[in-house]
């Protein structure tokens, strides 16, 4: 299982995550911040749990590209 977490309130809207992982991230038209698709929110953290290992590599690339380091990706 792959677990991806986004701390959305600290997003600066750079769009890097969308560029490298468009299947998992998109930019909100309302506030210009990143949205982790199909995620659940708890205390400002948006979490996606997926059994699809194919999302691991693009999400790791998004994590590395993020200048404010608000994306975490792990395989459990």
């Amino acid at each position: 299982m792959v677990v991806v977490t986004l701390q959305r309130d600290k997003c600066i809207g750079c769009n890097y995550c969308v560029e490298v992982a468009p299947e998992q991230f998109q930019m909100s038209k309302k506030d210009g911040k990143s949205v982790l698709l199909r995620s659940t929110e708890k205390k400002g953290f948006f979490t996606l749990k997926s059994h699809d290992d194919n999302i691991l590599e693009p999400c790791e690339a998004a994590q590395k590209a993020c200048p404010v380091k608000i994306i975490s990706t792990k395989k459990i």
Side-chain angles (χ1 to χ4, degrees), residues 1-70:
M1 178 179 284
V2 178
V3 179
V4 184
T5 305
L6 170 70
Q7 200 173 353
R8 191 172 186 278
D9 60 331
K10 294 185 178 180
C11 179
I12 60 170
C14 71
N15 198 49
Y16 291 151
C17 57
V18 177
E19 290 178 25
V20 296
E23 300 291 319
Q24 282 71 47
F25 296 92
Q26 72 181 50
M27 298 307 287
S28 169
K29 288 185 167 90
K30 281 186 178 179
D31 62 8
K33 293 185 176 191
S34 178
V35 176
L36 180 56
L37 303 173
R38 298 174 298 282
S39 65
T40 56
E41 190 266 342
K42 186 174 183 181
K43 297 184 180 179
F45 288 85
F46 290 78
T47 304
L48 167 66
K49 294 180 180 178
S50 176
H51 292 287
D52 182 4
D53 287 348
N54 294 325
I55 73 166
L56 181 63
E57 192 173 315
C59 287
E60 284 178 335
Q63 177 179 337
K64 288 177 185 153
C66 181
V68 287
K69 306 297 180 209
I70 58 169

